[in-house]
Amino acid sequence: MDRLLVTGGTPLDGTVEIAGAKNSALKLMAAVVLADGRSTVRNVPRIQDCFTMVEVLEHLGVGCAWAGDALVLETTDVRPAETPYDLVSRMRASILVLGPLLARFGNARVAMPGGCNIGSRAIDLHIRGLEKMGARFSSEHGFLVGETTGLRGAVVNLDFPSVGATENVLMAAVAARGNTVIENAAREPELVDLADFLVEMGARIDGVGTPTIEIQGVEGFGPVDHTVIPDRVEAGTYAIAVCSAGGRLVLSGARADHMDLVLSKLADAGADVVATDAGVVISMGSRPRCVDLVTLPYPGFPTDLQPQMMALLASAEGTSIVTENVFEGRFMFVDELNRMGADIRTEGHHAVIRGVERLSAAPVRALDIRAGAAMVIAALTADGVTEIEDMYHVDRGYQDMEAKLAALGAVVRRERERSPALS
Ligand code: UD1
């Protein structure tokens, strides 16, 4: 497994290009299963999760070809082949093909998910929503098998505004017979991007971005040419990094309107934030101040930036309280931060962070995508050289992270795992 060596103490300065949103690109790729012909999805981040989704699509007979950061997807030979465990266990978002496959073929066979180790991530809301629309599910040899004689519109009331469940139901509903209403729907910008994509394909959708989405089922979807929105989590990660390490960054392409609460929390911590049409400029000239925050579904503070914020607050002035409401078990990386001298105590879904003067380098591990990013942020400010193991987690979600950081002045070096044959 690759590891990253980070020498802390250098401020960040320069411009960082923000890639397309992982959590949008993956869903657009799944949605393409509904369309006939050749679609182009532009601004797709070249990260491991998107490569995994390409493999999922190829299993389903979709022709996939990269042209720079555009992905050309040809669906003439698409078929409802099974999605194997090897792929679903690498990336839970593979289950997003469930809705489109049921809608197009009336059956789907997807391995039960594994994925990020960040607490229980059940798929009951996906299943109940699709069942409401006339799908039936069973489990066979580790596979989730879905069947329907024809999806029909329904009122789907989600217990929690799950992003994935809203997306799966939405992708099924656009092709169902009749009208569907999703109540307590997720409102994330990536979901809005997916709805825009589906509308370009021919779908009829109203109310996306609000808790009630209304869908009128239609038949026949055409190919599209669509550009993925910028990744607000990547942008937020670099914004937090500069607040932690100090300096000034231009987050080129970032959309401030997708990051309102994040930017206002960073301003509370002492950052100077300027939103422009071309991106966000953020600078920090002092030690960060403590900030309290609570993660919630959008437009609340994103759980995907909670670990990075904890890394920032670990060396802030004063005591912060962070409450995690979206994923249980998303504090597991705290032990790694504490090994770097942080003073963080957790109690259930609350964390109390007493800011220390300076973190100190230690060998640590990236436990998942965002926890890995948090370790990088902690390392950028720590005293000494931090070795971060298991960088493959970070590679799932961040394109060229160490190249981007190095261009901003950070002292980072990747050590690649030597192949066993050579060692
Ligand atoms: C997506 C994002 C992930 C982000 C999360 C919340 C992708 C690929 N991933 O994940 O980066 O952290 O949204 O913003 O877009 N739940 C259930 N039953 C279900 C579905 C979810 O109980 O059927 C629970 C989960 O266990 C979790 C919560 O709902 O506690 C939120 O999950 P959800 O919004 O579905 O997240 P994902 O779509 O998996």
Side-chain angles (χ1 to χ4, degrees), residues 26 29-30 44-45 47-66 71-73 87 91:
L26 294 173
M29 290 164 76
V44 178
I47 52 175
Q48 200 51 53
D49 272 13
C50 289
F51 301 147
T52 303
M53 194 52 120
V54 163
E55 285 185 63
V56 170
L57 292 180
E58 284 174 343
H59 261 269
L60 299 174
V62 179
C64 304
W66 288 94
L71 198 47
V72 181
L73 302 163
L87 294 175
M91 187 187 67

Side-chain angles (χ1 to χ4, degrees), residues 368-408:
D368 63 49
I369 306 176
R370 310 305 173 187
M375 300 323 297
V376 174
I377 289 171
L380 287 171
T381 58
D383 184 17
V385 182
T386 300
E387 299 175 15
I388 306 169
E389 301 277 353
D390 295 348
M391 280 300 288
Y392 69 92
H393 284 297
V394 176
D395 297 338
R396 283 187 51 197
Y398 291 92
Q399 185 173 318
D400 303 329
M401 186 188 250
E402 71 265 22
K404 287 184 179 183
L405 285 172
L408 302 173

Side-chain angles (χ1 to χ4, degrees), residues 96-370:
L96 265 306
V97 295
L98 205 55
L101 284 176
L102 279 170
R104 181 154 186 175
F105 299 104
N107 65 83
R109 204 178 150 85
V110 182
M112 295 292 283
C116 270
N117 182 21
I118 51 173
S120 76
R121 304 179 80 186
I123 54 167
D124 55 317
L125 301 175
H126 300 237
I127 291 177
R128 269 193 268 147
L130 295 168
E131 278 177 347
K132 265 274 183 95
M133 298 173 65
R136 289 289 160 264
F137 289 93
S138 57
S139 142
E140 264 175 36
H141 309 293
F143 280 85
L144 181 66
V145 181
E147 281 167 329
T148 177
T149 51
L151 293 174
R152 50 179 192 273
V155 175
V156 175
N157 210 322
L158 297 173
D159 287 357
F160 182 88
S162 152
V163 175
T166 306
E167 291 164 339
N168 243 334
V169 171
L170 176 65
M171 288 188 279
V174 291
R177 224 175 326 118
N179 297 343
T180 298
V181 179
I182 309 177
E183 297 281 11
N184 200 22
R187 298 156 63 185
E188 270 66 4
E190 295 76 22
L191 183 82
V192 177
D193 203 24
L194 171 63
D196 287 346
F197 185 80
L198 291 166
V199 167
E200 287 160 34
M201 276 168 54
R204 299 216 183 134
I205 304 170
D206 268 328
V208 72
T210 78
T212 304
I213 304 179
E214 292 176 357
I215 304 122
Q216 198 183 323
V218 296
E219 277 178 39
F221 294 93
V224 289
D225 188 323
H226 181 95
T227 301
V228 177
I229 58 169
D231 196 316
R232 67 194 163 100
V233 180
E234 190 198 28
T237 300
Y238 286 104
I240 296 168
V242 73
C243 289
S244 192
R248 178 180 182 275
L249 288 190
V250 178
L251 309 171
S252 176
R255 279 189 56 174
D257 59 325
H258 290 169
M259 304 170 65
D260 282 342
L261 194 50
V262 173
L263 296 176
S264 97
K265 287 287 172 189
L266 293 177
D268 290 349
D272 189 28
V273 180
V274 180
T276 71
D277 285 346
V280 175
V281 184
I282 181 157
S283 47
M284 186 76 157
S286 56
R287 184 178 173 198
R289 292 190 293 268
C290 55
V291 168
D292 294 342
L293 63 96
V294 174
T295 68
L296 281 171
Y298 191 84
F301 194 93
T303 176
D304 282 354
L305 289 173
Q306 175 264 105
Q308 299 90 317
M309 279 300 280
M310 297 264 279
L312 165 76
L313 298 173
S315 55
E317 204 173 333
T319 298
S320 310
I321 298 179
V322 170
T323 303
E324 170 58 56
N325 285 319
V326 180
F327 285 111
E328 59 185 85
R330 203 163 199 179
F331 282 148
M332 281 187 296
F333 69 97
V334 161
D335 288 345
E336 300 295 301
L337 275 183
N338 283 345
R339 296 184 60 250
M340 294 179 70
D343 180 355
I344 305 176
R345 283 198 209 164
T346 59
E347 179 71 47
H349 63 134
H350 302 289
V352 177
I353 305 127
R354 293 191 177 83
V356 298
E357 195 73 40
R358 190 153 188 204
L359 297 174
S360 73
V364 291
R365 287 175 54 216
L367 297 185
D368 63 49
I369 306 176
R370 310 305 173 187

